[in-house]
Amino acid sequence: MLRFDDFRPGTEIARADMEVPAEAAEQLHRAFPDLAAEDASVELTIAMLMRAYTRLVAPRPPGNIHAGQEMRIHRVLTPGERFQARADCIDKETKAGRNWVRFGLVLETAAGPLVDAKMRFVWAQ
C-alpha cells in the first residue's frame, strides 16, 4: 500500500510499457455513443492516461480524492499503439490536516511525448 510517507518529491514512482487495447475505440463508442468521432481520440488518450495512473501509482489506500489535474496532449493515441508511461512524485504537503500529493505522469513513444500531466490528490493515509 502506498502511504503518504512513502512519497519522495522529485523521484520516480514507477514506469511501464503499455499498449492501447485494439478494441479501445469500440469500447469508448459503446460507453459514450453520442461522442463525436473527432473527440474520440482525445477521450481515448485521456482514458489511457488514467489507466497508466491506476497501474503505476498502486496499490492505493481507499479514500483518496482526485482534486485536480492539468494536462498537455502533444499527440493522441490510437488503438494498438504501444507507449511508455512514467509516474513521478512532484511534491507533497500536509495542509489543514490533509495530505496532498501531486504526481507527474508522462506518456511517450520513441518518437516523442504524447501526454504530460500533473494530477493532485488528497491522500487518505
Side-chain angles (χ1 to χ4, degrees), residues 62-109:
N64 294 341
I65 300 169
H66 185 173
Q69 68 185 25
E70 5 176 314
M71 73 178 73
R72 181 172 180 205
I73 298 175
H74 301 276
R75 181 176 68 77
V76 295
L77 287 159
T78 57
E81 187 170 8
R82 298 186 59 75
F83 62 95
Q84 185 174 72
R86 185 184 79 241
D88 301 309
C89 176
I90 296 173
D91 57 36
K92 69 178 190 176
E93 68 178 334
T94 301
K95 185 175 178 182
R98 293 186 183 208
N99 295 325
W100 292 88
V101 183
R102 192 162 52 122
F103 302 110
L105 279 100
V106 175
L107 307 184
E108 60 190 351
T109 67

Side-chain angles (χ1 to χ4, degrees), residues 15-68:
R15 69 174 56 222
D17 291 325
M18 298 181 67
E19 183 174 348
V20 181
E23 66 279 0
E26 180 184 316
Q27 291 172 341
L28 186 65
H29 179 69
R30 279 198 314 268
F32 303 101
D34 296 335
L35 185 64
E38 61 271 12
D39 296 330
S41 57
V42 172
E43 295 299 327
L44 176 63
T45 302
I46 294 169
M48 294 309 300
L49 175 71
M50 295 310 295
R51 183 175 283 186
Y53 164 76
T54 60
R55 179 174 175 183
L56 299 176
V57 184
R60 295 170 304 283
N64 294 341
I65 300 169
H66 185 173

